Amino acid sequence: MTAGQGIAAAKKDGLYVYCVVCDRGEHLLGPVGLDDHGVYAVRAGDICAIVHKCPAEPYQSNDRQTVENWVLAHQRVIEMAAERFETVLPMAFNMIVQDGPNGNAGESLRAWLGEERDRFTALLDKLAGKAEYGVQVFWDRQRVAEALLQNDPRLRRMRDEALTKPKGLAYMLQQKLAKAARAAVETRANLYVEDFYTRIRECLDEVRVEGLKKAAGGEQMLLNLSCLMEKGNSALGKVLEEIRETEGISVRFTGPWPPYSFVCAG
Amino acid sequence: MEPELPVRHSRATLVDLLDRVLDKGIVLRADLVISVAGIPLVGARLSVALAGMETMLKYGIMSDWDQAIRTAATQGQELHAVKPSPLKQRPDEALAAPMVA
């Protein structure tokens, strides 16, 4: 039962595209698509798009589980394609080709594959044997601040001095100390980011800096990277293991992903 | 020391998947396509519910510092002398942060 994609009996004149691969054959992947639709390949020369037929309207829903299932199905089909065809160029979610003035969806799609053949071939070559990994570095800012207050001689002096003074003056000195501590924490953050980024980047073929996001608890995200490297290369894992030894630092390491982040234009 | 292995395929990586599938990947030409990745997939509240699941990561707003890193990266520069800028620890932001298109 399809939710949010029109009535089941609606015309299926659109093609939902999962990914692009290099192949010369005919392929059926079976009923593994969104809402169990049958997935197959549409070919132009040696480039194929992996698709399913659907009504020409986007997949939309207010039901969380439905959306989750669609997203997981999208990813699953791409992974199946990666197993069968080695290298894939993943599409964003909800890329649906419609009938056009020049022909039906299949014809439009083939024409587009033909136009983009050089770009796709270059991308497939670049990505062969590689995978995307996600790296996020967090720190416990409070913990680092406390450690700095303990260990930085200048801050310690300021703190000790404030303790010996009468209330009004002590307060002013504590404000100064707080400001100096904040600056020290920022400096430390920048040092970490520069150091970690440099060491991580050395392991990679390509890296993309992603936006920082709010994190749980007292942790703050310092670095969010999409990393492209050869599948199974262990250099990055080793560097992250070392980075994790740093006090107050934690690391999230995910993957391998299909190379979503490395097929975008710009 | 064993090199660490990345996490794949768990509830914990659903947010990472959403980041990729909704924001990245190849985008079809506008005249061909019914929908583009920028169309909100679901209502704003549900998108936050999806994004903020068990892993508790919410879509945040980029800081100046974040922008400086991005600039340095896209220009292929080494990351040195990044101008320190306050990294505000934001108190709980309103849950209804809109989905970034």
Side-chain angles (χ1 to χ4, degrees), chain B residues 7-99:
Chain B
V7 175
R8 77 178 285 199
H9 283 313
S10 64
R11 298 304 287 168
T13 61
L14 182 61
V15 173
D16 307 89
L17 176 59
L18 286 169
D19 279 348
R20 289 174 165 80
V21 147
L22 298 180
D23 253 348
K24 301 180 182 177
I26 295 183
V27 173
L28 288 167
R29 232 171 50 206
D31 61 328
L32 275 182
V33 73
I34 279 292
S35 63
V36 294
I39 289 184
L41 178 60
V42 294
R45 255 185 310 143
L46 186 54
S47 75
V48 168
L50 277 177
M53 291 177 69
E54 290 88 331
T55 58
M56 296 277 294
L57 292 175
K58 301 188 189 74
Y59 286 94
I61 303 165
M62 284 191 281
S63 67
D64 293 338
W65 173 46
D66 176 51
Q67 186 57 46
I69 297 177
R70 284 169 155 269
T71 308
T74 56
Q75 294 170 1
Q77 297 163 10
E78 290 306 310
L79 254 189
H80 53 262
V82 172
K83 192 162 151 33
S85 103
L87 261 186
K88 296 186 189 53
Q89 181 78 3
R90 285 188 164 77
D92 293 312
E93 291 191 336
L95 272 176
M99 180 99 146

Side-chain angles (χ1 to χ4, degrees), chain A residues 59 61-62 68 90 92-94 96 98 112 115 132 190 193-194 210 213 241 244 252-253 255 260-261, chain B residues 1 4 7-9 11-12 16 19-21 24-26 28-29 32 34-35 41-42 46 65 79:
Chain A
Y59 283 82
S61 171
N62 284 323
E68 212 177 293
F93 188 87
N94 245 352
I96 299 172
Q98 56 181 328
W112 179 69
E115 282 164 31
E132 174 171 336
N190 288 322
V193 166
E194 181 189 339
E210 310 292 354
K213 301 162 72 162
E241 198 64 34
R244 274 203 177 147
R252 268 187 92 238
F253 182 26
Y260 289 99
S261 307
Chain B
M1 193 194 306
E4 70 170 75
V7 175
R8 77 178 285 199
H9 283 313
R11 298 304 287 168
D16 307 89
D19 279 348
R20 289 174 165 80
V21 147
K24 301 180 182 177
I26 295 183
L28 288 167
R29 232 171 50 206
L32 275 182
I34 279 292
S35 63
L41 178 60
V42 294
L46 186 54
W65 173 46
L79 254 189

